[in-house]
Amino acid sequence: SLAGFEVDEAVVTDRGLQYDRRWMLVDRNHCFLTQREYPQMCLLQTAISGNDLVVYHKQDPFDRIIVPVNNENKVPALEVRVWDDVCTALPVSAAADEWFTRHLSLPCQLVYMPESTHRQVDLKYAQPGNIAAFSDAYPLLVIGQASLDDLNNRLPEPLPIERFRPNLVFTGGSPYDEDAMNHIKINGLDMYGVKLCARCTIPTINPSTAGKGKEPLTTLAAYRSKDNKIYFGQNVLIRQTGLIKKGNAIQVISTRELIRL
């Protein structure tokens, strides 16, 4: 739930983009923390510099914590919870815990997902062996720029794509083309859209101030809701690993019938 950043290329791993959601903040009960309850988390900016994860406060970029990305320390593991999933994680360091506790003004601990932890994706939408990191539920989230443009045309003030925290943003096509994507390829890598993304309140948080409002959920609810859930974006599973780059085309191999919203 910290602030993400844009890259020109990324390695697709078995559980999402390399480094994405491999770290997580947990409370004293080892349960995950999110912007839903603690919107101030969005003010902590992340970056990858060489072999380090760097985190700093947007209002004080010189006060930062640096964590090696190869972080599989020989320390006692913890059982941590993400929604209903319980999985194994490694504590990072007491220094990291102190830094995050100080900046968020709540007791918390930074943990890391080692390669040995395999968090199974919901079998209603996935096959055994499809795994995710510490993301809500799926390895990747894809949104079309045309979908955001259509939404922004309906809003009093346009919002940036960062509000929706996608991994992949594509240009071209029509609004909500991602809804129908079943089997796609990017740079030869097979991926599968399996479930529309039901949105929580995080898109209502201003990533620059941590203030909360009603948009875009109020507007989305008028035309993107079904069964009391609001949908925007497509959750994607990974079949192969490899490199993808900005500018790669999305090849749509197959589509499925649209869910009528």
Side-chain angles (χ1 to χ4, degrees), residues 78-106:
L78 300 175
E79 294 296 302
V80 298
R81 181 177 293 276
V82 185
W83 297 117
D84 293 329
D85 295 337
V86 176
C87 51
T88 301
L90 299 176
V92 172
S93 69
D97 300 344
E98 186 279 330
W99 191 92
F100 283 103
T101 295
R102 175 164 54 89
H103 280 275
L104 295 175
S105 299
L106 70 140

Side-chain angles (χ1 to χ4, degrees), residues 35-36 38-43 58-59 159 163 201-216:
Q35 283 186 43
R36 298 170 185 88
Y38 306 103
Q40 68 267 32
M41 294 178 75
C42 74
L43 299 177
K58 291 178 179 179
Q59 297 171 359
L159 299 176
R163 288 277 189 124
T201 58
I202 287 180
T204 68
I205 299 171
N206 184 325
S208 298
T209 65
K212 297 184 73 172
K214 295 183 178 180
E215 294 291 5

Side-chain angles (χ1 to χ4, degrees), residues 177 180-185 249-255:
D177 274 353
M181 288 180 177
N182 180 35
H183 178 192
I184 63 174
K185 280 182 178 282
I250 294 183
Q251 182 182 3
V252 180
I253 307 301
S254 66
T255 59

Side-chain angles (χ1 to χ4, degrees), residues 160-203:
I161 195 66
E162 287 82 2
R163 288 277 189 124
F164 301 95
R165 303 175 65 81
N167 299 106
L168 306 175
V169 181
F170 66 92
T171 58
S174 302
Y176 316 107
D177 274 353
E178 61 270 24
D179 290 4
M181 288 180 177
N182 180 35
H183 178 192
I184 63 174
K185 280 182 178 282
I186 303 177
N187 198 27
L189 305 183
D190 290 294
M191 303 178 189
Y192 293 85
V194 293
K195 183 178 181 293
L196 297 188
C197 182
R199 306 310 309 211
C200 65
T201 58
I202 287 180

Side-chain angles (χ1 to χ4, degrees), residues 179 195-199 217 220-232 257-261:
D179 290 4
K195 183 178 181 293
L196 297 188
C197 182
R199 306 310 309 211
L217 294 188
L220 281 170
Y223 74 108
R224 295 287 299 174
S225 64
K226 184 179 178 66
D227 299 330
N228 295 317
K229 293 184 178 181
I230 298 169
Y231 294 94
F232 195 76
E257 185 177 355
L258 287 174
I259 298 174
R260 299 301 174 188
L261 300 176

Side-chain angles (χ1 to χ4, degrees), residues 36-88:
R36 298 170 185 88
E37 291 77 29
Y38 306 103
Q40 68 267 32
M41 294 178 75
C42 74
L43 299 177
L44 297 185
Q45 179 65 53
T46 59
I48 297 291
S49 178
N51 292 318
D52 294 323
L53 166 69
V54 181
V55 187
Y56 57 90
H57 197 285
K58 291 178 179 179
Q59 297 171 359
D60 187 7
F62 296 103
D63 182 2
R64 52 184 57 196
I65 186 76
I66 297 175
V67 176
V69 295
N70 300 314
N71 199 56
E72 304 215 5
N73 300 324
K74 295 185 182 300
V75 294
L78 300 175
E79 294 296 302
V80 298
R81 181 177 293 276
V82 185
W83 297 117
D84 293 329
D85 295 337
V86 176
C87 51
T88 301

